[in-house]
Amino acid sequence: MRLAPDLAVVEKAEERQSRREDQSRPASNPSSNGKNFQLDEPLRTEHQFEGIIGCSASLGDAFAQLKIVAPTDSTVLLLGETGTGKEMAARALHNRSPRRERTFVRVNCAAIPSGLFESELFGHERGAFTSAIARKIGRFELANGGTIFLDEVGDIPPELQPKLLRVLQEQEFERLGSPKTIRVDVRVVAASSRDLPQMVADREFRADLYYRLNVFPIRLPALRERLEDIPLLVRHFTASCAARMRKSLSTFRSTA
């Protein structure tokens, strides 16, 4: 009967235990953990456009189109999913245009009850309806000389679409309850996350209104289509949060 353990067996067991410990221990090489990003370095000008941040090719194409159309009075249709920065793009168009000293008016079409659309966009006179106790200036009149941004334009009710079409074509309208025609000089920037061509095919959106809005379409890519922009965005928001919370952070590490 053997009383002492086999030396070779013991050495192999110790070797296996050592390998397991090495695998569970974090890597000591800093370069293997990711890349360091400096928070105190300013973003390069080519990595941002009026507050929109990114260096991807798809976003660069959108930047180029925005720069081309911004100095003009052309109607622009911004397309893309929710959260792709359509309002920021609309503000960029206004800020880069000759109208930048005038008013920028944002209208969230998805948030206005259908019965109040006409009053919100075109205004009303006192007594036009039961609760109209005073004259109200509509959004188009407020934006005279400037830019109006119609966010989620696909939510405008079908019965109001002809009146919007008339404003785009003739730059004129009447307040609710008034026969007086009001002329305005307004640049229209519209946006939608919906499939407007399909809505036209389904007769949910007027084809002539769609073509009036679709003069210069610009598609803004979703974040999953520009993953290379994530480090820049993380850096920007981390620096912003650190400044707001009065924390001193100089770097962050990407481990992706």
Side-chain angles (χ1 to χ4, degrees):
M1 180 176 177
R2 297 173 59 186
L3 298 178
D6 190 319
L7 182 59
V9 174
V10 172
E11 289 178 347
K12 288 182 179 179
E14 290 177 347
E15 185 180 349
R16 286 196 296 269
Q17 179 64 24
S18 177
R19 282 200 300 266
R20 284 196 294 268
E21 290 175 355
D22 289 342
Q23 290 172 356
S24 62
R25 187 180 300 119
S28 59
N29 183 7
S31 63
S32 66
N33 289 339
K35 179 181 178 181
N36 282 336
F37 291 88
Q38 298 294 326
L39 296 180
D40 51 0
E41 290 181 2
L43 286 173
R44 295 165 60 182
T45 54
E46 63 266 30
H47 291 168
Q48 59 179 327
F49 178 77
E50 295 288 337
I52 307 172
I53 297 170
C55 61
S56 61
S58 57
L59 195 60
D61 291 342
F63 286 171
Q65 291 178 296
L66 289 168
K67 290 175 183 177
I68 289 171
V69 74
T72 73
D73 266 345
S74 176
T75 300
V76 178
L77 180 60
L78 301 172
L79 303 169
E81 299 175 13
T82 301
T84 51
K86 295 188 289 295
E87 183 176 351
M88 295 184 71
R91 290 186 180 275
L93 289 170
H94 176 73
N95 292 338
R96 294 276 184 125
S97 76
R99 300 173 181 266
R100 57 184 169 272
E101 302 298 329
R102 305 301 294 269
T103 308
F104 176 87
V105 176
R106 176 182 179 268
V107 183
N108 184 359
C109 300
I112 302 176
S114 58
L116 297 178
F117 252 108
E118 186 170 3
S119 173
E120 285 293 322
L121 291 182
F122 308 116
H124 63 250
E125 296 290 343
R126 179 180 177 181
F129 47 89
T130 305
S131 59
I133 59 175
R135 172 187 286 180
K136 177 178 179 178
I137 304 300
R139 305 292 182 91
F140 270 95
E141 200 167 348
L142 288 173
N144 189 27
T147 303
I148 189 167
F149 173 47
L150 301 176
D151 196 9
E152 294 301 342
V153 70
D155 286 5
I156 291 181
E159 61 272 16
L160 193 61
Q161 291 175 19
K163 196 162 187 177
L164 177 58
L165 177 63
R166 180 188 172 202
V167 177
L168 291 172
Q169 291 176 331
E170 309 295 339
Q171 295 273 291
E172 64 182 28
F173 60 90
E174 291 82 32
R175 292 196 197 108
L176 191 62
S178 172
K180 181 182 177 181
T181 299
I182 298 172
R183 294 194 60 83
V184 290
D185 174 22
V186 178
R187 184 187 192 177
V188 176
V189 178
S192 180
S193 60
R194 303 176 67 180
D195 187 345
L196 294 180
Q198 185 59 50
M199 291 181 68
V200 171
D202 295 339
R203 299 183 180 275
E204 296 176 0
F205 200 83
R206 290 180 63 108
D208 47 3
L209 177 57
Y210 170 68
Y211 294 127
R212 279 286 177 178
L213 293 171
N214 197 40
V215 176
F216 198 105
I218 300 176
R219 181 181 176 276
L220 298 175
L223 186 57
R224 65 176 177 276
E225 301 173 34
R226 51 188 186 98
L227 298 179
E228 58 268 44
D229 291 339
I230 291 178
L232 286 174
L233 292 169
V234 172
R235 173 180 157 190
H236 168 75
F237 289 116
T238 302
S240 297
C241 289
R244 188 167 61 248
M245 299 176 70
R246 298 177 183 177
K247 298 292 184 181
S248 178
L249 296 175
S250 59
T251 63
F252 75 90
R253 183 181 298 278
S254 171
T255 58

